């Protein structure tokens, strides 16, 4: 809706030297309007310095109230994108010029006028005579580029690709109503029907309008249609910190309300398992590949209770060498709770079973109901099923956490070998396990004999050559007396 090169503005009011001047501006560009605004704003500033009694109110704007994370890749300069990424963008009609402008510019890539849903195929685009892409499923390319439905619709399209009815159904209409839009204006091509906010620069919006625009994933630079270079200086886009993400940092991890401890041995890569652990895992269908990547081994889709024998597995053609798979899992260290929550995430349960065990509320928070749960049609599934971790809202994320998901397992992007280095959860201590375990007592030692070239760890000193040991030094040894 902001695709015209020129705009019409009428009856713009500015406070200047305690008087109200009425300006009628016709057929000026946004840039010209901004230049006029800057001039008049300077006069306004001078007047405010004089009129100190004029009340002012500055409210903090909360960006992204829908908790939709910034698709930072969209705000990189074209030449900073790798070749493969540029090729994907090319297939959607982007080039350097169209990448380094945003939505409202006259040379905007037409794809940004459409919602993610309407980009599932080119059928809708063809009807709109906008079928300019070289791929059949544009949104699948967007997905490979790192977009989700939410991040595209909010940060790139700002929901302009929605009908007014769609906005109301998805409860997105309210922010636009705060900006003065209604159904008639939304579907009109006559700018005289558009609300005043449409013609305002960011600094001219009142506090409620700024908040509504921010909720629609605008920042001052994108609302004002400033050059791409200005985005590199945007306070919000360059902060790297989004309000809903900070609470899930290292210091404030949220843990499952059921206090089911993470079976950390399942998050150790295959190559680091002992021979015995590999043999046991192999008995229930694991290989190096299916161990290092979740949900490849189909046994993980079955609840612990259904693994007492192979009868259930045989029905679904799931292979297990062991006649009693859950006995093997027990030997590996699992119990019913840790398997069903951390590995199966209760997906092997029927809906009525989750109701019986009070698990269903967590999946309801993620948008599931009985019909969707029992459907094999992905169109029946809730939107959370396709969201990345950062795109989940607070209720959805809490539901996922209680189902024993954390960022890496929800997004399923990190190899097991990287969990220990990257995962905040893996490197944390669950609150119910924070009490230090009592260390086993050291067996009585009569003496130790060190080779002359040995090094040992000395308390309060660190690694020390044996030749430098002092009388009274405490040397670290294990429970077997090995140094």
């Amino acid at each position: 809706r902001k695709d015209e090169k020129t705009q019409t503005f009428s009856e713009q009011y500015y406070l200047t030297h305690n008087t109200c001047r009425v300006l009628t501006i016709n057929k000026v560009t946004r840039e010209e309007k901004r230049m006029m605004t800057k001039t008049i704003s300077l006069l306004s500033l001078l007047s405010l310095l004089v009129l100190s009694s004029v009340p002012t109110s500055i409210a903090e704007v909360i960006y992204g109230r829908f908790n939709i994370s910034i698709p930072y890749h969209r705000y990189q300069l074209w030449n900073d994108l790798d070749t493969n990424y540029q090729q994907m963008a090319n297939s959607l009609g982007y080039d350097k010029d169209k990448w380094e402008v945003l939505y409202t510019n006259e040379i905007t890539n037409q794809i940004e006028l459409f919602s993610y849903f309407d980009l599932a195929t080119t059928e809708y685009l063809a009807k709109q005579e906008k079928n300019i892409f070289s791929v059949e499923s544009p949104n699948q390319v967007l997905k490979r580029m790192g977009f989700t439905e939410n991040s595209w619709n909010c940060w790139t399209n700002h929901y302009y690709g929605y009908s007014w009815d769609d906005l109301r159904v998805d409860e997105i209409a309210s922010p636009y109503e705060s900006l003065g839009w209604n159904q008639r204006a939304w579907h009109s091509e006559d700018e005289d029907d558009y609300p005043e906010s449409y013609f305002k620069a960011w600094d001219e919006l009142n506090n409620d309008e700024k908040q509504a625009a921010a909720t629609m994933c605008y920042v001052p630079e994108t609302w004002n249609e400033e050059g791409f270079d200005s985005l590199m200086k945007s306070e919000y886009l360059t902060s790297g910190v989004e309000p809903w993400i900070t609470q899930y940092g290292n210091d404030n991890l949220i843990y499952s309300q059921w206090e089911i401890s993470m079976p950390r041995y399942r998050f150790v890569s295959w190559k680091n398992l002992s021979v015995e652990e590999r043999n046991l895992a192999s008995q229930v269908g694991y290989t190096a590949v299916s161990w290092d990547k979740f949900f490849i081994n189909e046994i993980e889709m079955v609840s612990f209770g259904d693994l007492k024998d192979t009868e259930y597995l045989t029905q679904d053609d799931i292979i297990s060498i062991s006649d009693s798979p859950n006995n093997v899992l027990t030997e590996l260290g699992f119990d019913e709770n840790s398997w069903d929550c951390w590995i199966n995430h209760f997906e092997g349960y029927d809906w009525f079973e989750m109701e019986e065990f009070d698990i269903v509320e967590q999946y309801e928070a993620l948008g599931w109901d009985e019909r969707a749960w029992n459907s094999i049609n992905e169109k029946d599934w809730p939107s959370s099923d396709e969201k990345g971790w950062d795109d989940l809202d607070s209720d959805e994320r809490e539901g996922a956490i209680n189902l024993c998901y954390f960022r890496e397992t929800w997004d399923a992007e990190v190899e097991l070998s990287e969990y220990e280095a990257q995962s905040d959860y893996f490197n944390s201590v669950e609150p119910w396990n924070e009490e230090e375990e009592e260390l086993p007592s050291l067996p009585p030692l009569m003496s130790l004999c060190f080779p002359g070239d040995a090094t040992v760890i000395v308390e309060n000193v660190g690694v020390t050559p044996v030749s430098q040991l002092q009388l009274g030094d405490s040397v670290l040894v294990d429970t077997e007396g090995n140094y």
Side-chain angles (χ1 to χ4, degrees):
R1 295 192 173 40
K2 298 182 181 178
D3 55 357
E4 295 296 328
K5 185 176 180 180
T6 60
Q7 310 290 355
T8 301
F9 305 93
S10 61
E11 296 188 340
Q12 300 287 327
Y13 295 88
Y14 299 97
L15 177 66
T16 309
H17 294 293
N18 208 24
T19 63
C20 207
R21 293 181 56 192
V22 179
L23 303 181
T24 301
I25 309 171
N26 294 306
K27 295 293 183 183
V28 298
T29 65
R30 286 242 172 163
E31 183 58 32
E32 290 169 338
K33 175 174 180 284
R34 279 197 292 274
M35 292 304 296
M36 294 186 71
T37 303
K38 289 178 182 176
T39 303
I40 296 172
S41 294
L42 179 58
L43 295 173
S44 300
L45 176 61
L46 292 171
S47 69
L48 288 175
L49 290 174
V50 175
L51 302 171
S52 58
S53 61
V54 176
T56 59
S57 175
I58 300 175
E60 181 182 1
V61 171
I62 302 172
Y63 291 96
R65 274 193 165 164
F66 294 146
N67 293 8
I68 301 172
S69 292
I70 301 166
Y72 286 102
H73 46 275
R74 179 60 186 92
Y75 302 102
Q76 293 184 47
L77 294 171
W78 180 263
N79 290 336
D80 291 337
L81 302 173
D82 63 43
T83 303
N84 181 53
Y85 202 93
Q86 286 181 356
Q87 289 173 348
M88 288 190 290
N90 284 147
S91 72
L92 297 176
Y94 285 106
D95 54 25
K96 185 177 187 297
D97 291 336
K98 291 184 177 180
W99 182 263
E100 293 185 359
V101 297
L102 294 169
Y103 187 72
T104 49
N105 193 289
E106 61 177 333
I107 61 170
T108 293
N109 185 356
Q110 295 294 298
I111 195 174
E112 297 189 357
L113 306 177
F114 296 93
S115 71
Y116 190 91
F117 178 82
D118 288 332
L119 294 171
T121 67
T122 56
E123 180 181 354
Y124 180 81
L125 307 181
K127 291 179 180 178
Q128 305 298 315
E129 298 181 354
K130 302 289 187 182
N131 192 7
I132 58 175
F133 314 121
S134 60
V135 292
E136 288 299 317
S137 300
N139 67 11
Q140 292 306 304
V141 179
L142 291 174
K143 186 175 182 179
R144 292 198 296 274
M145 291 172 68
F147 289 100
T148 64
E149 183 171 12
N150 283 334
S151 65
W152 175 266
N153 286 343
C154 195
W155 283 97
T156 302
N157 180 252
H158 305 291
Y159 303 102
Y160 278 148
Y162 280 49
S163 69
W164 189 259
D165 286 341
D166 288 337
L167 290 176
R168 296 189 70 84
V169 168
D170 291 346
E171 298 181 355
I172 305 169
S174 178
Y176 274 116
E177 289 173 335
S178 297
L179 286 163
W181 290 92
N182 55 35
Q183 186 168 12
R184 177 174 174 271
W186 189 258
H187 292 290
S188 174
E189 295 182 3
D190 185 350
E191 291 183 359
D192 290 341
D193 294 330
Y194 297 174
E196 290 183 10
S197 67
Y198 177 82
F199 306 104
K200 293 180 181 179
W202 180 269
D203 289 340
E204 298 168 347
L205 298 174
N206 63 37
N207 291 335
D208 290 339
E209 290 170 336
K210 284 180 180 177
Q211 181 57 69
T215 301
M216 296 290 95
C217 296
Y218 280 105
V219 295
E221 294 80 6
T222 52
W223 179 268
N224 289 339
E225 302 169 19
E226 296 177 15
F228 205 76
D229 290 344
S230 70
L231 290 172
M232 306 298 108
K233 303 172 186 177
S234 167
E235 181 179 352
Y236 185 69
L237 293 178
T238 59
S239 69
V241 177
E242 295 170 294
W244 56 92
I245 293 178
T246 56
Q247 64 180 305
Y248 299 100
N250 290 334
D251 296 332
N252 294 298
L253 279 169
I254 309 300
Y255 297 88
S256 172
Q257 67 182 26
W258 295 316
E259 300 188 359
I260 302 172
S261 294
M262 181 187 201
R264 293 174 189 271
Y265 42 84
R266 178 59 187 89
F267 297 84
V268 175
S269 62
W270 182 266
K271 66 181 180 181
N272 293 326
L273 295 177
S274 67
V275 173
E276 181 184 3
E277 287 171 328
R278 289 188 198 175
N279 287 338
L280 287 169
S282 298
Q283 290 181 41
V284 286
Y286 282 108
T287 64
V289 173
S290 61
W291 180 269
D292 284 349
K293 196 76 173 176
F294 287 102
F295 273 108
I296 291 181
N297 185 357
E298 291 181 327
I299 200 172
E300 296 186 350
M301 301 176 191
V302 184
S303 69
F304 194 85
D306 288 330
L307 292 172
K308 63 178 181 291
D309 54 43
T310 57
E311 179 181 353
Y312 184 91
L313 303 184
T314 304
Q315 294 174 8
D316 287 347
D317 296 325
I318 300 175
I319 298 173
S320 172
I321 298 173
S322 170
D323 291 334
S324 300
N326 65 12
N327 286 339
V328 176
L329 294 175
T330 300
E331 288 187 62
L332 275 168
F334 290 102
D335 58 22
E336 185 169 19
N337 284 337
S338 61
W339 177 267
D340 285 351
C341 194
W342 282 97
I343 308 303
N344 181 252
H345 306 290
F346 305 104
E347 291 192 15
Y349 283 47
D350 291 323
W351 190 261
F352 74 86
E353 290 179 310
M354 290 199 294
E355 289 179 326
E356 181 181 350
F357 294 113
D358 294 327
I359 301 166
V360 75
E361 289 183 6
Q362 314 309 322
Y363 273 110
E364 287 176 336
L366 286 161
W368 291 90
D369 56 28
E370 185 171 7
R371 176 177 173 273
W373 189 257
N374 294 326
S375 175
I376 59 173
N377 186 347
E378 293 185 10
K379 292 182 179 179
D380 295 332
W381 300 352
S383 60
S384 66
D385 191 63
E386 294 186 355
K387 291 182 181 179
W389 182 262
D390 291 337
D391 293 330
L392 298 174
D393 63 35
S394 57
D395 290 336
E396 290 170 336
R397 189 171 295 172
E398 184 177 352
I401 287 166
N402 283 328
L403 296 169
C404 295
Y405 282 105
F406 55 102
R407 182 186 300 275
E408 289 77 12
T409 50
W410 181 270
D411 289 339
E413 294 175 349
V414 180
E415 295 292 331
L416 278 184
S417 58
E418 301 174 15
Y419 272 55
E420 191 167 357
Q422 295 189 20
S423 172
D424 293 339
Y425 195 102
F426 189 89
N427 289 298
S428 69
V429 177
E430 289 144 341
W432 52 91
N433 292 328
E434 283 182 345
E435 294 183 10
E436 292 186 8
E437 296 181 8
E438 185 177 347
L439 296 175
S441 58
L442 195 66
L445 300 175
M446 298 301 294
S447 63
L448 290 171
C449 182
F450 302 114
D453 59 352
T455 58
V456 293
I457 298 177
V458 177
E459 186 178 19
N460 299 325
V461 176
V463 178
T464 306
V466 168
S467 60
Q468 296 180 19
L469 285 177
Q470 304 292 319
L471 185 65
D473 280 346
S474 296
V475 177
L476 179 66
V477 295
D478 66 17
T479 56
E480 304 296 325
N482 300 311
Y483 60 91

